[in-house]
Amino acid sequence: QGQLVESGGGSAQAGGSLRLSCEISKYTLWRRCMAWFRRPLGKEREGVASIAADGGTTFYADSVKGRFTISLDDAKNTLYLQMDSLQPEDTAMYYCARSGDPCYSPGLDQVDYFYWGQGTQVTVSS
């Protein structure tokens, strides 16, 4: 049984940085995409960033473009999300996810992602 385990969440001041990690266990990354999603309290889950494991193509939501960076370390089987210039509206539970079908062009349509972690909370204060 595969597993995705997020870590690195916590509290930060506006303008600060955090780095989230997602340890990927027993899931192949071959021809798959990985992504970060978030759910602000009381709101719908939304896509943040995604990456194709083959080739490293990335895709970002407009709200985080230029501030967040997604990366994948194949050797460590770990997905990262570097979050800089954090804003209070970035406060949310953050989830990593893996696509179910082969994926060459990463996107943020939730229906494409079959496997999810339990999430890690990020809180940004002004």
Side-chain angles (χ1 to χ4, degrees):
Q1 183 75 19
Q3 194 173 18
L4 301 174
V5 179
E6 302 93 337
S7 62
S11 299
Q13 295 284 328
S17 298
L18 286 172
R19 188 175 81 155
L20 305 184
S21 300
C22 173
E23 183 179 344
I24 305 160
S25 301
K26 298 181 181 179
Y27 280 132
T28 179
L29 294 177
W30 187 59
R31 296 184 180 179
R32 296 297 188 269
C33 290
M34 295 294 299
W36 288 98
F37 290 82
R38 66 187 182 187
R39 187 196 300 271
L41 186 64
K43 296 184 179 180
E44 297 292 317
R45 188 166 58 191
E46 61 186 20
V48 176
S50 58
I51 185 169
D54 294 338
T57 304
T58 58
F59 182 84
Y60 294 92
D62 287 343
S63 59
V64 305
K65 203 172 293 183
R67 301 189 299 120
F68 290 9
T69 303
I70 189 171
S71 61
L72 180 62
D73 187 329
D74 292 342
K76 295 183 179 179
N77 270 4
T78 302
L79 178 72
Y80 299 101
L81 184 68
Q82 177 66 41
M83 305 186 295
D84 299 317
S85 301
L86 283 163
Q87 302 167 7
E89 49 266 40
D90 295 319
T91 295
M93 183 73 79
Y94 283 73
Y95 302 88
C96 68
R98 174 189 170 272
S99 66
D101 295 328
C103 171
Y104 304 97
S105 180
L108 293 172
D109 191 341
Q110 297 186 43
V111 299
D112 294 330
Y113 294 88
F114 292 9
Y115 307 100
W116 296 79
Q118 294 299 307
T120 186
Q121 177 68 36
V122 171
T123 303
V124 184
S125 57
S126 57

